[in-house]
Amino acid sequence: SIVCHVPNSQLAMQPFVGDNSLMARPTHPPPTPMEPRFPSELTKFLWERQDNRTSWTSFPEADRPKIEHLYKTSNGRPMDTTDLSWNHGFNSLYRYDFNVMTQINLDSGKKRLLRRRDIPCCPKMHMLGRKESTFRPFENSGDVLCDMCMTNITAGKEAYYRCSACKYNRCLSCQGDRLTLKCFASLADWRQEFTALSRSQVDRLRED
């Protein structure tokens, strides 16, 4: 048999009407107002700059949409701006080159590396923080449950994601952080599922 690692959240498949191929769908029940969509959709971008060789600092909240706009409209060209929250009163010209992911202060010549990360979010699009298994929210008198699959996270003794604003929890499996070993009966079955996963990744890149 053929062995392949795939996330739990992407194992169930259904026909794709457009061209009779396959596409991935979430394994959880239809969403309710407080239930997430497919976990890969529940992320938001986070721009960071490197302060030194080991430390990364997030851009201020007010600047993240501006950097994202420059990124999406650059078309491979360096983009210049002075409209940054920390630049008020200085008006230094900053250049962003997303081909090499750098930020350069054209006045001082200071260069910093950039990176763009997708951060897990709750259904209300608040960023989730990763909590260790020993963390117990003060409002939880009992066990911590995953709001997506209702798994007992406390019993599993593993890390999980939490939104402190919404009191929302998500286990590693539902977020797609854990890989599952799956066996396929034939090469054709493996190709079919691999094609479906590839299509879903391409769709995400197109939206990005």
Side-chain angles (χ1 to χ4, degrees):
S1 62
I2 300 169
V3 178
C4 178
H5 286 87
V6 293
N8 281 344
S9 58
Q10 299 185 11
L11 291 181
M13 314 300 294
Q14 69 177 8
F16 177 65
V17 178
D19 58 0
N20 294 323
S21 62
L22 298 178
M23 66 178 294
R25 65 173 173 81
T27 57
H28 56 281
T32 62
M34 278 301 295
E35 192 172 19
R37 299 165 293 172
F38 192 40
S40 62
E41 298 176 7
L42 286 175
T43 59
K44 64 190 302 183
F45 61 85
L46 179 66
W47 282 97
E48 297 176 324
R49 59 180 181 266
Q50 193 174 42
D51 291 330
N52 52 53
R53 292 185 177 181
T54 59
S55 176
W56 292 86
T57 300
S58 301
F59 277 84
E61 186 74 32
D63 296 311
R64 293 171 194 170
K66 300 173 186 176
I67 304 300
E68 182 73 6
H69 176 72
L70 294 175
Y71 169 68
K72 289 188 173 182
T73 58
S74 63
N75 293 320
R77 298 174 290 107
M79 303 293 282
D80 297 345
T81 185
T82 60
D83 185 19
L84 300 163
S85 62
W86 70 84
N87 198 33
H88 295 163
F90 298 98
N91 293 319
S92 296
L93 186 62
Y94 284 85
R95 173 164 294 172
Y96 291 87
D97 189 339
F98 299 106
N99 289 320
V100 291
M101 296 299 281
T102 57
Q103 167 193 283
I104 305 175
N105 183 324
L106 295 181
D107 293 347
S108 67
K110 178 68 175 179
K111 179 187 292 187
R112 298 179 187 274
L113 294 178
L114 300 174
R115 70 179 181 183
R116 182 183 187 270
R117 298 195 296 135
D118 287 333
I119 304 298
C121 296
C122 73
K124 294 185 177 180
M125 300 310 290
H126 302 139
M127 289 188 182
L128 298 182
R130 187 181 172 103
K131 303 297 183 182
E132 295 304 319
S133 59
T134 54
F135 177 81
R136 186 74 63 89
F138 71 90
E139 70 272 9
N140 277 73
S141 56
D143 293 338
V144 178
L145 303 179
C146 173
D147 287 293
M148 188 170 176
C149 67
M150 301 308 295
T151 295
N152 188 323
I153 297 174
T154 303
K157 297 181 180 180
E158 63 181 14
Y160 62 100
Y161 291 96
R162 176 172 176 79
C163 173
S164 56
C166 299
K167 312 295 188 295
Y168 177 90
N169 304 304
R170 188 183 300 152
C171 68
L172 298 182
S173 293
C174 287
Q175 183 56 42
D177 281 9
R178 184 189 291 114
L179 298 179
T180 299
L181 186 67
K182 183 176 181 180
C183 295
F184 297 89
S186 67
L187 181 60
D189 290 344
W190 174 82
R191 284 175 175 166
Q192 191 175 54
E193 187 154 346
F194 179 80
T195 299
L197 295 178
S198 297
R199 286 180 181 274
S200 66
Q201 292 174 346
V202 169
D203 288 342
R204 288 196 64 199
L205 289 173
R206 285 173 176 169
E207 293 173 359
D208 197 19

PDB file of all heavy atoms in Angstrom, residues 161-186:
ATOM      1  N   TYR A 161      -5.159  26.044  20.619  1.00  0.00           N
ATOM      2  CA  TYR A 161      -5.284  27.454  20.269  1.00  0.00           C
ATOM      3  C   TYR A 161      -6.491  28.051  20.989  1.00  0.00           C
ATOM      4  O   TYR A 161      -7.528  27.401  21.116  1.00  0.00           O
ATOM      5  CB  TYR A 161      -5.442  27.619  18.750  1.00  0.00           C
ATOM      6  CG  TYR A 161      -4.196  27.281  17.981  1.00  0.00           C
ATOM      7  CD1 TYR A 161      -4.023  26.019  17.429  1.00  0.00           C
ATOM      8  CD2 TYR A 161      -3.186  28.222  17.808  1.00  0.00           C
ATOM      9  CE1 TYR A 161      -2.873  25.704  16.717  1.00  0.00           C
ATOM     10  CE2 TYR A 161      -2.037  27.921  17.105  1.00  0.00           C
ATOM     11  CZ  TYR A 161      -1.888  26.660  16.561  1.00  0.00           C
ATOM     12  OH  TYR A 161      -0.751  26.352  15.860  1.00  0.00           O
ATOM     13  N   ARG A 162      -6.331  29.322  21.420  1.00  0.00           N
ATOM     14  CA  ARG A 162      -7.414  29.948  22.186  1.00  0.00           C
ATOM     15  C   ARG A 162      -7.542  31.422  21.846  1.00  0.00           C
ATOM     16  O   ARG A 162      -6.545  32.127  21.655  1.00  0.00           O
ATOM     17  CB  ARG A 162      -7.158  29.802  23.692  1.00  0.00           C
ATOM     18  CG  ARG A 162      -8.210  30.521  24.558  1.00  0.00           C
ATOM     19  CD  ARG A 162      -8.042  30.197  26.017  1.00  0.00           C
ATOM     20  NE  ARG A 162      -8.989  30.957  26.832  1.00  0.00           N
ATOM     21  CZ  ARG A 162     -10.270  30.646  26.987  1.00  0.00           C
ATOM     22  NH1 ARG A 162     -10.753  29.575  26.375  1.00  0.00           N
ATOM     23  NH2 ARG A 162     -11.061  31.379  27.737  1.00  0.00           N
ATOM     24  N   CYS A 163      -8.795  31.877  21.745  1.00  0.00           N
ATOM     25  CA  CYS A 163      -9.108  33.298  21.631  1.00  0.00           C
ATOM     26  C   CYS A 163      -9.618  33.761  22.989  1.00  0.00           C
ATOM     27  O   CYS A 163     -10.701  33.353  23.416  1.00  0.00           O
ATOM     28  CB  CYS A 163     -10.161  33.546  20.552  1.00  0.00           C
ATOM     29  SG  CYS A 163     -10.730  35.266  20.497  1.00  0.00           S
ATOM     30  N   SER A 164      -8.849  34.597  23.661  1.00  0.00           N
ATOM     31  CA  SER A 164      -9.240  35.047  24.995  1.00  0.00           C
ATOM     32  C   SER A 164     -10.449  35.975  24.940  1.00  0.00           C
ATOM     33  O   SER A 164     -11.236  36.033  25.888  1.00  0.00           O
ATOM     34  CB  SER A 164      -8.066  35.752  25.679  1.00  0.00           C
ATOM     35  OG  SER A 164      -7.595  36.830  24.884  1.00  0.00           O
ATOM     36  N   ALA A 165     -10.625  36.693  23.819  1.00  0.00           N
ATOM     37  CA  ALA A 165     -11.753  37.620  23.705  1.00  0.00           C
ATOM     38  C   ALA A 165     -13.076  36.872  23.573  1.00  0.00           C
ATOM     39  O   ALA A 165     -14.081  37.253  24.174  1.00  0.00           O
ATOM     40  CB  ALA A 165     -11.552  38.547  22.511  1.00  0.00           C
ATOM     41  N   CYS A 166     -13.075  35.795  22.772  1.00  0.00           N
ATOM     42  CA  CYS A 166     -14.306  35.032  22.517  1.00  0.00           C
ATOM     43  C   CYS A 166     -14.439  33.793  23.400  1.00  0.00           C
ATOM     44  O   CYS A 166     -15.457  33.104  23.331  1.00  0.00           O
ATOM     45  CB  CYS A 166     -14.363  34.608  21.053  1.00  0.00           C
ATOM     46  SG  CYS A 166     -14.369  35.963  19.875  1.00  0.00           S
ATOM     47  N   LYS A 167     -13.402  33.500  24.197  1.00  0.00           N
ATOM     48  CA  LYS A 167     -13.380  32.269  25.002  1.00  0.00           C
ATOM     49  C   LYS A 167     -13.512  31.046  24.090  1.00  0.00           C
ATOM     50  O   LYS A 167     -14.198  30.082  24.391  1.00  0.00           O
ATOM     51  CB  LYS A 167     -14.509  32.269  26.045  1.00  0.00           C
ATOM     52  CG  LYS A 167     -14.636  33.541  26.856  1.00  0.00           C
ATOM     53  CD  LYS A 167     -13.410  33.760  27.735  1.00  0.00           C
ATOM     54  CE  LYS A 167     -13.596  34.923  28.706  1.00  0.00           C
ATOM     55  NZ  LYS A 167     -13.724  36.226  28.054  1.00  0.00           N
ATOM     56  N   TYR A 168     -12.821  31.106  22.963  1.00  0.00           N
ATOM     57  CA  TYR A 168     -12.941  30.082  21.926  1.00  0.00           C
ATOM     58  C   TYR A 168     -11.679  29.230  21.901  1.00  0.00           C
ATOM     59  O   TYR A 168     -10.564  29.764  21.949  1.00  0.00           O
ATOM     60  CB  TYR A 168     -13.159  30.773  20.575  1.00  0.00           C
ATOM     61  CG  TYR A 168     -13.228  29.861  19.387  1.00  0.00           C
ATOM     62  CD1 TYR A 168     -14.444  29.327  18.973  1.00  0.00           C
ATOM     63  CD2 TYR A 168     -12.079  29.540  18.661  1.00  0.00           C
ATOM     64  CE1 TYR A 168     -14.510  28.497  17.868  1.00  0.00           C
ATOM     65  CE2 TYR A 168     -12.139  28.703  17.564  1.00  0.00           C
ATOM     66  CZ  TYR A 168     -13.359  28.186  17.172  1.00  0.00           C
ATOM     67  OH  TYR A 168     -13.420  27.371  16.082  1.00  0.00           O
ATOM     68  N   ASN A 169     -11.838  27.901  21.821  1.00  0.00           N
ATOM     69  CA  ASN A 169     -10.708  26.973  21.825  1.00  0.00           C
ATOM     70  C   ASN A 169     -10.734  26.105  20.569  1.00  0.00           C
ATOM     71  O   ASN A 169     -11.803  25.739  20.077  1.00  0.00           O
ATOM     72  CB  ASN A 169     -10.768  26.062  23.059  1.00  0.00           C
ATOM     73  CG  ASN A 169     -10.819  26.851  24.349  1.00  0.00           C
ATOM     74  OD1 ASN A 169      -9.961  27.674  24.618  1.00  0.00           O
ATOM     75  ND2 ASN A 169     -11.845  26.603  25.156  1.00  0.00           N
ATOM     76  N   ARG A 170      -9.559  25.769  20.061  1.00  0.00           N
ATOM     77  CA  ARG A 170      -9.452  24.877  18.908  1.00  0.00           C
ATOM     78  C   ARG A 170      -8.274  23.927  19.119  1.00  0.00           C
ATOM     79  O   ARG A 170      -7.165  24.362  19.430  1.00  0.00           O
ATOM     80  CB  ARG A 170      -9.266  25.666  17.623  1.00  0.00           C
ATOM     81  CG  ARG A 170      -9.337  24.791  16.372  1.00  0.00           C
ATOM     82  CD  ARG A 170      -9.086  25.597  15.115  1.00  0.00           C
ATOM     83  NE  ARG A 170     -10.076  26.652  14.971  1.00  0.00           N
ATOM     84  CZ  ARG A 170      -9.848  27.802  14.336  1.00  0.00           C
ATOM     85  NH1 ARG A 170      -8.674  28.031  13.791  1.00  0.00           N
ATOM     86  NH2 ARG A 170     -10.795  28.706  14.250  1.00  0.00           N
ATOM     87  N   CYS A 171      -8.513  22.645  18.936  1.00  0.00           N
ATOM     88  CA  CYS A 171      -7.450  21.651  19.136  1.00  0.00           C
ATOM     89  C   CYS A 171      -6.489  21.648  17.941  1.00  0.00           C
ATOM     90  O   CYS A 171      -6.771  22.213  16.889  1.00  0.00           O
ATOM     91  CB  CYS A 171      -8.060  20.265  19.342  1.00  0.00           C
ATOM     92  SG  CYS A 171      -8.868  19.566  17.884  1.00  0.00           S
ATOM     93  N   LEU A 172      -5.367  20.984  18.105  1.00  0.00           N
ATOM     94  CA  LEU A 172      -4.350  20.947  17.050  1.00  0.00           C
ATOM     95  C   LEU A 172      -4.847  20.230  15.806  1.00  0.00           C
ATOM     96  O   LEU A 172      -4.512  20.609  14.682  1.00  0.00           O
ATOM     97  CB  LEU A 172      -3.091  20.262  17.580  1.00  0.00           C
ATOM     98  CG  LEU A 172      -2.378  20.932  18.761  1.00  0.00           C
ATOM     99  CD1 LEU A 172      -1.128  20.140  19.134  1.00  0.00           C
ATOM    100  CD2 LEU A 172      -2.010  22.372  18.441  1.00  0.00           C
ATOM    101  N   SER A 173      -5.662  19.192  16.000  1.00  0.00           N
ATOM    102  CA  SER A 173      -6.168  18.442  14.850  1.00  0.00           C
ATOM    103  C   SER A 173      -7.066  19.303  13.982  1.00  0.00           C
ATOM    104  O   SER A 173      -6.947  19.304  12.754  1.00  0.00           O
ATOM    105  CB  SER A 173      -6.939  17.204  15.324  1.00  0.00           C
ATOM    106  OG  SER A 173      -6.077  16.283  15.944  1.00  0.00           O
ATOM    107  N   CYS A 174      -7.975  20.048  14.595  1.00  0.00           N
ATOM    108  CA  CYS A 174      -8.897  20.888  13.831  1.00  0.00           C
ATOM    109  C   CYS A 174      -8.165  22.034  13.138  1.00  0.00           C
ATOM    110  O   CYS A 174      -8.586  22.487  12.075  1.00  0.00           O
ATOM    111  CB  CYS A 174     -10.000  21.429  14.728  1.00  0.00           C
ATOM    112  SG  CYS A 174     -11.207  20.178  15.210  1.00  0.00           S
ATOM    113  N   GLN A 175      -7.081  22.499  13.723  1.00  0.00           N
ATOM    114  CA  GLN A 175      -6.305  23.554  13.094  1.00  0.00           C
ATOM    115  C   GLN A 175      -5.443  23.013  11.957  1.00  0.00           C
ATOM    116  O   GLN A 175      -4.956  23.765  11.125  1.00  0.00           O
ATOM    117  CB  GLN A 175      -5.435  24.260  14.135  1.00  0.00           C
ATOM    118  CG  GLN A 175      -4.639  25.432  13.615  1.00  0.00           C
ATOM    119  CD  GLN A 175      -5.529  26.480  12.949  1.00  0.00           C
ATOM    120  OE1 GLN A 175      -6.603  26.793  13.446  1.00  0.00           O
ATOM    121  NE2 GLN A 175      -5.085  27.025  11.830  1.00  0.00           N
ATOM    122  N   GLY A 176      -5.268  21.689  11.931  1.00  0.00           N
ATOM    123  CA  GLY A 176      -4.456  21.085  10.881  1.00  0.00           C
ATOM    124  C   GLY A 176      -2.990  20.978  11.248  1.00  0.00           C
ATOM    125  O   GLY A 176      -2.151  20.730  10.388  1.00  0.00           O
ATOM    126  N   ASP A 177      -2.675  21.167  12.540  1.00  0.00           N
ATOM    127  CA  ASP A 177      -1.280  21.097  12.968  1.00  0.00           C
ATOM    128  C   ASP A 177      -0.789  19.661  13.130  1.00  0.00           C
ATOM    129  O   ASP A 177       0.409  19.432  13.174  1.00  0.00           O
ATOM    130  CB  ASP A 177      -1.104  21.829  14.305  1.00  0.00           C
ATOM    131  CG  ASP A 177      -1.026  23.329  14.129  1.00  0.00           C
ATOM    132  OD1 ASP A 177      -1.276  23.794  13.001  1.00  0.00           O
ATOM    133  OD2 ASP A 177      -0.740  24.039  15.106  1.00  0.00           O
ATOM    134  N   ARG A 178      -1.699  18.722  13.275  1.00  0.00           N
ATOM    135  CA  ARG A 178      -1.303  17.339  13.458  1.00  0.00           C
ATOM    136  C   ARG A 178      -1.497  16.584  12.151  1.00  0.00           C
ATOM    137  O   ARG A 178      -2.521  16.712  11.483  1.00  0.00           O
ATOM    138  CB  ARG A 178      -2.122  16.666  14.564  1.00  0.00           C
ATOM    139  CG  ARG A 178      -1.670  15.245  14.833  1.00  0.00           C
ATOM    140  CD  ARG A 178      -2.605  14.497  15.771  1.00  0.00           C
ATOM    141  NE  ARG A 178      -2.543  15.038  17.112  1.00  0.00           N
ATOM    142  CZ  ARG A 178      -3.565  15.649  17.697  1.00  0.00           C
ATOM    143  NH1 ARG A 178      -4.695  15.821  17.069  1.00  0.00           N
ATOM    144  NH2 ARG A 178      -3.456  16.101  18.926  1.00  0.00           N
ATOM    145  N   LEU A 179      -0.525  15.779  11.793  1.00  0.00           N
ATOM    146  CA  LEU A 179      -0.611  14.969  10.585  1.00  0.00           C
ATOM    147  C   LEU A 179      -1.110  13.572  10.923  1.00  0.00           C
ATOM    148  O   LEU A 179      -0.797  13.031  11.986  1.00  0.00           O
ATOM    149  CB  LEU A 179       0.755  14.880   9.903  1.00  0.00           C
ATOM    150  CG  LEU A 179       1.348  16.211   9.418  1.00  0.00           C
ATOM    151  CD1 LEU A 179       2.706  15.960   8.781  1.00  0.00           C
ATOM    152  CD2 LEU A 179       0.423  16.911   8.447  1.00  0.00           C
ATOM    153  N   THR A 180      -1.878  13.013  10.024  1.00  0.00           N
ATOM    154  CA  THR A 180      -2.432  11.673  10.205  1.00  0.00           C
ATOM    155  C   THR A 180      -1.875  10.730   9.146  1.00  0.00           C
ATOM    156  O   THR A 180      -1.783  11.099   7.975  1.00  0.00           O
ATOM    157  CB  THR A 180      -3.971  11.710  10.097  1.00  0.00           C
ATOM    158  OG1 THR A 180      -4.484  12.559  11.113  1.00  0.00           O
ATOM    159  CG2 THR A 180      -4.555  10.313  10.253  1.00  0.00           C
ATOM    160  N   LEU A 181      -1.517   9.538   9.568  1.00  0.00           N
ATOM    161  CA  LEU A 181      -1.008   8.528   8.631  1.00  0.00           C
ATOM    162  C   LEU A 181      -2.194   7.841   7.966  1.00  0.00           C
ATOM    163  O   LEU A 181      -3.087   7.319   8.642  1.00  0.00           O
ATOM    164  CB  LEU A 181      -0.157   7.501   9.390  1.00  0.00           C
ATOM    165  CG  LEU A 181       0.573   6.462   8.538  1.00  0.00           C
ATOM    166  CD1 LEU A 181       1.642   7.146   7.697  1.00  0.00           C
ATOM    167  CD2 LEU A 181       1.200   5.407   9.429  1.00  0.00           C
ATOM    168  N   LYS A 182      -2.217   7.871   6.653  1.00  0.00           N
ATOM    169  CA  LYS A 182      -3.316   7.252   5.916  1.00  0.00           C
ATOM    170  C   LYS A 182      -2.761   6.326   4.853  1.00  0.00           C
ATOM    171  O   LYS A 182      -1.812   6.673   4.158  1.00  0.00           O
ATOM    172  CB  LYS A 182      -4.202   8.321   5.273  1.00  0.00           C
ATOM    173  CG  LYS A 182      -5.404   7.738   4.552  1.00  0.00           C
ATOM    174  CD  LYS A 182      -6.335   8.811   4.007  1.00  0.00           C
ATOM    175  CE  LYS A 182      -7.531   8.189   3.315  1.00  0.00           C
ATOM    176  NZ  LYS A 182      -8.461   9.219   2.778  1.00  0.00           N
ATOM    177  N   CYS A 183      -3.369   5.157   4.727  1.00  0.00           N
ATOM    178  CA  CYS A 183      -2.958   4.183   3.727  1.00  0.00           C
ATOM    179  C   CYS A 183      -3.953   4.185   2.570  1.00  0.00           C
ATOM    180  O   CYS A 183      -5.161   4.339   2.778  1.00  0.00           O
ATOM    181  CB  CYS A 183      -2.882   2.783   4.346  1.00  0.00           C
ATOM    182  SG  CYS A 183      -1.604   2.616   5.611  1.00  0.00           S
ATOM    183  N   PHE A 184      -3.428   4.010   1.369  1.00  0.00           N
ATOM    184  CA  PHE A 184      -4.266   3.960   0.171  1.00  0.00           C
ATOM    185  C   PHE A 184      -4.156   2.578  -0.453  1.00  0.00           C
ATOM    186  O   PHE A 184      -3.080   1.979  -0.493  1.00  0.00           O
ATOM    187  CB  PHE A 184      -3.828   5.035  -0.832  1.00  0.00           C
ATOM    188  CG  PHE A 184      -3.995   6.434  -0.330  1.00  0.00           C
ATOM    189  CD1 PHE A 184      -2.978   7.058   0.365  1.00  0.00           C
ATOM    190  CD2 PHE A 184      -5.173   7.119  -0.550  1.00  0.00           C
ATOM    191  CE1 PHE A 184      -3.131   8.345   0.832  1.00  0.00           C
ATOM    192  CE2 PHE A 184      -5.331   8.415  -0.089  1.00  0.00           C
ATOM    193  CZ  PHE A 184      -4.308   9.036   0.608  1.00  0.00           C
ATOM    194  N   ALA A 185      -5.294   2.111  -0.934  1.00  0.00           N
ATOM    195  CA  ALA A 185      -5.336   0.767  -1.505  1.00  0.00           C
ATOM    196  C   ALA A 185      -4.639   0.696  -2.852  1.00  0.00           C
ATOM    197  O   ALA A 185      -4.145  -0.364  -3.249  1.00  0.00           O
ATOM    198  CB  ALA A 185      -6.782   0.302  -1.636  1.00  0.00           C
ATOM    199  N   SER A 186      -4.600   1.829  -3.561  1.00  0.00           N
ATOM    200  CA  SER A 186      -3.998   1.807  -4.895  1.00  0.00           C
ATOM    201  C   SER A 186      -3.362   3.149  -5.202  1.00  0.00           C
ATOM    202  O   SER A 186      -3.638   4.160  -4.538  1.00  0.00           O
ATOM    203  CB  SER A 186      -5.055   1.491  -5.958  1.00  0.00           C
ATOM    204  OG  SER A 186      -5.994   2.555  -6.054  1.00  0.00           O
TER     205      SER A 186
END
